[in-house]
Each structure stands twice: as C-alpha cells, then as structure tokens.
C-alpha cells in the first residue's frame, strides 16, 4: 500500500514539473524566440537612408551597409557598427514616422 502511494506521489510531482515547463515555454520562452526572429528580420531588412537607434542609444542614419556591418552617420561623425547592435524597439519608438515615410517613398 505504501509503495503505491509513493509511486502516485512521484507521478504527481513529475506531472507538476511538466506543467510548470509548459507554462514557462508558452509565457516566457516562445515569446522571446518570436521577438528574436522579428529583430533578426528587421536587421536583415535595413537599407541605406534608414534612421536607427542602437542598443547603446546612438542615433543616426545608415549611409553604407554590408552583410554584418553598417556605417552610421551621427552628429559627431561616422561610426562603423555591427548590425546586431541596432534595436528595433528603440528605432520604432524614435523614428516610426520617418521609417514609414521612407518606406512609402521606396514603394512609389
């Protein structure tokens, strides 16, 4: 009798951990993966003339772009940056209207 109660307790504990993992997956891991995919797509679609903000808060305009790097024109001069330092959220917060206007001009 004691052995079956102990097995039932272990099974309940395992199910509880599985349930916790599922909750973590859907509320923490999956949204983070989606966010990373969106950020990567944004960085791949950068073009000359886009106004951007880096993760460190540097504002500027892209004047040249390669596969991994971009040259950013700021008030103080030109800076060479890696693409992965450009933040989608900060760029949209600051330059959302400019990005929309720039995209409309390119479509026409």
């Amino acid at each position: 009798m004691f052995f079956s109660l102990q097995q039932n307790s272990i099974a309940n504990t395992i199910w509880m951990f599985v349930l916790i993992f599922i909750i973590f997956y859907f509320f923490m891991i999956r949204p983070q993966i989606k966010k990373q995919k969106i950020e990567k797509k944004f960085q791949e679609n950068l073009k000359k003339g886009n106004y951007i903000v880096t993760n460190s808060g540097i504002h500027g305009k892209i004047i040249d772009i390669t596969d991994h790097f971009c040259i950013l024109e700021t008030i103080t001069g030109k800076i060479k940056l890696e693409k992965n330092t450009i933040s989608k959220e900060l760029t949209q917060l600051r330059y959302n209207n400019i990005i929309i206007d720039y995209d409309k001009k390119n479509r026409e």
Side-chain angles (χ1 to χ4, degrees):
M1 173 101 181
F2 180 72
F3 183 69
S4 81
L5 286 176
Q6 190 175 10
Q7 274 186 332
N8 195 12
S9 175
I10 291 172
N12 287 340
T13 304
I14 290 172
W15 280 110
M16 181 110 95
F17 279 115
V18 169
L19 181 65
I20 289 171
F21 177 76
I22 291 170
I23 290 171
F24 269 103
Y25 177 78
F26 281 107
F27 288 106
M28 295 180 76
I29 298 170
R30 189 167 166 229
Q32 185 65 28
I33 291 171
K34 275 182 154 180
K35 184 179 175 184
Q36 287 173 345
K37 285 181 183 179
I38 292 169
E39 189 87 18
K40 185 175 181 181
K41 186 176 177 181
F42 170 76
Q43 290 168 356
E44 289 172 354
N45 292 329
L46 289 172
K47 299 177 185 124
K48 282 176 136 179
N50 283 6
Y51 289 89
I52 55 102
V53 181
T54 65
N55 291 331
S56 59
I58 299 172
H59 296 244
K61 178 181 174 183
I62 297 175
I63 57 172
D64 192 22
I65 197 159
T66 63
D67 290 339
H68 301 288
F69 296 98
C70 64
I71 298 176
L72 190 67
E73 183 178 24
T74 64
I75 293 172
T76 59
K78 297 177 183 176
I79 301 172
K80 183 177 182 180
L81 299 169
E82 288 192 31
K83 276 188 175 179
N84 61 5
T85 61
I86 299 170
S87 170
K88 179 180 188 288
E89 284 92 18
L90 294 175
T91 300
Q92 283 185 333
L93 281 174
R94 181 70 172 116
Y95 296 110
N96 195 24
N97 294 334
I98 295 172
I99 291 171
I100 292 170
D101 292 341
Y102 183 77
D103 288 340
K104 284 181 185 175
K105 288 178 186 175
N106 285 341
R107 288 184 201 143
E108 294 174 352

